[in-house]
Amino acid sequence: MASNPSTINMRFLLQFPEYAEARSRAKADTPIGLPPETTVSDTASPQERIEFAFRELNNSLTTELRSKLASIDPFRFEQVVLDLLVKMGYGGSRKEAAQVTQRTADEGIDGLINEDRLGLEVIYIQAKRWKHKVGRPEIQNFVGAIAGKKAGKGIFITTSDFHDNAREYAASLHQKLVLIDGRRLAELMIEHNIGVAPEQPYIIKKVDTDYFEE
């Protein structure tokens, strides 16, 4: 912006190494069968072009974050999940309202968190740092563990994805069971600033018409 370019197009943006790298990563992360949005219309406004670049950078960050989550210690991953849920407001945003179960003898439950500040109801958590998809058997085991605690709510989180039969089974339960796959987990972490930090803020300004009317 300091150079006051006459137009902002793909060629202009590609002069920045960070943007070129983000664009490359976003292409690699595009699901099969879904054409990537790789071009900006020549008639797009500067605001729309910036928003396009922002989406590509966010896609790249999502991919990078998922890779990081897949490589950390499983016990640390469980703590990350609880940090996210606390930041989202569960437990009344109190750290003591969430806890990770012991590394052994967790009876199929990786953690728990109070749904509200008073702790009127507990939500049980299963957090799996997996590469392969989670199927119905794993969901059934978790539901059995929840039933053993006489609870009605659970969250199953994985760094990978869920088979369709797992999603269908979860949707048919009378208990409230939420499934969060790796992409959704990364998006929530970005939204609530868990494991990420601001790098370079940009402030877009416009003419203050009220100032000139005084």
Side-chain angles (χ1 to χ4, degrees), residues 65-80:
L65 195 54
R66 291 185 68 180
S67 177
K68 183 64 176 179
L69 290 171
S71 66
I72 62 176
D73 176 79
F75 193 71
R76 175 60 181 145
F77 174 61
E78 295 167 9
Q79 293 175 318
V80 169

Side-chain angles (χ1 to χ4, degrees), residues 111-131:
L112 55 92
I113 188 168
N114 292 338
E115 184 175 16
D116 52 57
R117 189 166 187 175
L118 296 178
L120 296 175
E121 190 164 4
V122 175
I123 299 174
Y124 289 90
I125 303 160
Q126 184 77 282
K128 293 302 180 188
R129 189 182 57 83
W130 284 6
K131 292 183 178 180

Side-chain angles (χ1 to χ4, degrees), residues 56-68:
E56 284 203 310
L57 289 169
N58 244 22
N59 285 337
S60 175
L61 178 58
T62 298
T63 301
E64 188 176 354
L65 195 54
R66 291 185 68 180
S67 177
K68 183 64 176 179

